Amino acid sequence: MLTISNADKILRSVYLDAVAEEIKENTSPFISRLEETSEYLAGKEIVSPCRIGINGGVGCVSETGDLPAAGAPNYLNLKANLCNVYGNLEISDKLLRLGQGSPSSVVNVLNHEMENLLKSAKFNMRRMLFQNGNGVLATIDSHTTSTGTVLSVNTTKNLVEGMIVDINGTTGALSSGHTVTYVNRAEGTVTITPSTTYTTTGNTLSVQGSFGHEIYGLPYLFDDDLTLFYGNARRNVSFALPTDYTASAVTNDSIQEVLDKIEENYGSTPNLIIASYDMRRKYLEYLRTNCLNIDHKEIEAGFSSITYNGIPLYVEKFAPDNTAYFVNTDDFKLVQPSEWSWLESNDGNILHQMGGKAAYYATLVKYCNLLCVRPMAQASLTYVASEAN
């Protein structure tokens, strides 16, 4: 007989490890290569020293001259908050009771609900790693329809049907609980229900409750519009920031220049190039035009990509347009106190009754943030079209 207690055990023993492994191994090569660690935790905060330059206590002096003065190494403290990532699963009491005579039918429903939750978790983890942490999915532009149901937005890249979103002003949510029912990627519009009156140009969409609370993805390192950089005033730590290079063509030379600069200045070579779809198309067109070989390789189980001098050039659906990131994945840590887990009540239960409803919910939770311990050794390449003569 299937009971709440048995359903709890199924969620705990059958699904949890599978969820963690699926998100880690089958979401993207970047996530697969991230080291998951609790090493840098200091209470609710992530803290890591970043070494700047070298020890200055070395010099050549005369035989009778004074020895070089000791030089203390320079460090910059990098700080970040742990982000709270939650995902809910719901199942009705009626379904549980119907399953008392046929447990397999309820297990099938649990499988279906877990697949949906897993798909959502993978989508949002992957998306967050290519945003700057502010949670903005899209910005309402000047062509918003008057109905407040169909919104014209600056990008549909981060939107998908089924999302529940907030409409935000500059300081937070103005209206909440809007479900995305249709994303028209050709026209750059999104349909929501219920409608909203907050259609002012510049207002933004974010996942429910997430505005300003998401993981520091790769764009966080390069976004000069952000005033803080891992707890430091960005304007005061230019020596620790990564470099954004620009090019009017995506060629072997433009790629090699970025690699050379990183190696020359910081003594390391990126092991992964993460590009947007349009950047990959530009590079492939360059290779075809110049009759150059296009090399492919399997970079992780289930993932393959083209390469540049053996370095995978992997296309990422959430990467900003006309952008490629040059990263050494060894420098990135997904800092967390523990793996994905179920939120438990005081009595240890995973399934909880929904207030005033004949239904139960379970919450998947992960506390984490992305930390780059050597941000200056990363780079981006942005394609900028040359001006017409």
Side-chain angles (χ1 to χ4, degrees):
M1 178 180 294
L2 188 65
T3 64
I4 290 294
S5 177
N6 291 337
D8 254 43
K9 292 177 182 178
I10 292 173
L11 289 174
R12 191 189 308 274
S13 61
V14 175
Y15 291 112
L16 194 55
D17 289 343
V19 165
E21 183 177 355
E22 176 70 17
I23 294 174
K24 170 70 175 176
E25 301 298 334
N26 297 312
T27 302
S28 79
F30 183 54
I31 292 179
S32 298
R33 294 187 179 196
L34 292 177
E35 178 187 356
E36 297 177 338
T37 179
S38 60
E39 177 183 353
Y40 304 97
L41 287 176
K44 294 182 180 180
E45 197 173 43
I46 298 169
V47 180
S48 173
C50 174
R51 186 163 186 167
I52 307 298
I54 61 173
N55 189 309
V58 175
C60 298
V61 300
S62 67
E63 185 175 349
T64 57
D66 295 334
L67 293 176
N74 296 316
Y75 288 97
L76 174 70
N77 264 352
L78 306 178
K79 298 181 180 180
N81 294 323
L82 282 174
C83 297
N84 313 315
V85 186
Y86 300 108
N88 269 350
L89 173 151
E90 296 180 10
I91 185 170
S92 71
D93 180 68
K94 181 179 181 180
L95 181 62
L96 284 174
R97 292 181 184 275
L98 290 173
Q100 289 180 358
S102 177
S104 62
S105 64
V106 179
V107 171
N108 288 337
V109 172
L110 283 176
N111 282 336
H112 178 71
E113 293 296 326
M114 282 303 305
E115 287 174 6
N116 287 336
L117 179 57
L118 181 58
K119 183 177 180 179
S120 179
K122 289 172 65 174
F123 178 92
N124 282 290
M125 281 296 294
R126 185 176 178 185
R127 173 188 60 77
M128 285 190 286
L129 291 177
F130 292 91
Q131 295 192 254
N132 67 4
N134 65 10
V136 172
L137 302 172
T139 300
I140 298 174
D141 66 23
S142 58
H143 301 291
T144 302
T145 61
S146 59
T147 64
T149 299
V150 181
L151 306 178
S152 179
V153 292
N154 68 325
T155 179
T156 59
K157 186 186 294 285
N158 303 308
L159 295 164
V160 68
E161 289 81 1
M163 274 184 161
I164 301 176
V165 299
D166 297 339
I167 311 297
N168 309 289
T170 55
T171 59
L174 301 170
S175 182
S176 303
H178 302 276
T179 299
V180 175
T181 59
Y182 177 51
V183 181
N184 189 327
R185 293 170 178 82
E187 296 185 5
T189 63
V190 56
T191 303
I192 62 172
T193 184
S195 62
T196 179
T197 59
Y198 297 100
T199 56
T200 304
T201 298
N203 283 354
T204 59
L205 280 66
S206 66
V207 172
Q208 52 181 331
S210 298
F211 186 67
H213 300 298
E214 291 195 343
I215 291 170
Y216 294 167
L218 278 174
Y220 174 84
L221 302 179
F222 299 89
D223 193 341
D224 290 332
D225 291 333
L226 299 177
T227 58
L228 291 180
F229 183 77
Y230 289 127
N232 304 276
R234 184 178 284 264
R235 66 177 182 275
N236 296 334
V237 294
S238 56
F239 49 83
L241 300 178
T243 304
D244 183 13
Y245 298 90
T246 60
S248 58
V250 184
T251 66
N252 284 347
D253 286 344
S254 62
I255 293 173
Q256 189 62 50
E257 181 181 4
V258 177
L259 295 171
D260 287 348
K261 289 294 185 181
I262 295 174
E263 182 178 348
E264 179 183 2
N265 295 328
Y266 304 108
S268 63
T269 300
N271 61 7
L272 188 63
I273 302 173
I274 307 171
S276 59
Y277 278 102
D278 52 1
M279 285 291 274
R280 183 176 67 172
R281 288 194 297 271
K282 291 179 176 66
Y283 184 54
L284 289 173
E285 179 60 26
Y286 161 78
L287 295 177
R288 284 191 291 266
T289 300
N290 291 275
C291 299
L292 300 175
N293 289 335
I294 301 175
D295 296 324
H296 292 80
K297 67 181 296 187
E298 184 176 17
I299 52 177
E300 309 290 339
F303 297 102
S304 62
S305 76
I306 63 173
T307 66
Y308 171 79
N309 275 0
I311 302 173
L313 193 158
Y314 174 70
V315 67
E316 170 55 56
K317 64 179 292 184
F318 293 111
D321 292 340
N322 293 311
T323 302
Y325 294 110
F326 294 68
V327 300
N328 190 326
T329 55
D330 296 335
D331 295 333
F332 288 85
K333 316 294 179 183
L334 191 64
V335 184
Q336 58 187 30
S338 62
E339 254 301 350
W340 288 93
S341 59
W342 293 109
L343 196 62
E344 299 182 7
S345 59
N346 292 334
D347 56 9
N349 289 333
I350 293 172
L351 282 168
H352 318 280
Q353 185 174 358
M354 300 176 67
K357 295 184 178 181
Y360 299 86
Y361 71 93
T363 302
L364 198 63
V365 60
K366 186 183 184 76
Y367 304 110
C368 63
N369 209 337
L370 183 67
L371 174 70
C372 181
V373 297
R374 294 184 71 226
M376 70 289 287
Q378 321 305 317
S380 68
L381 177 64
T382 303
Y383 169 78
V384 178
S386 58
E387 295 183 5
N389 295 327

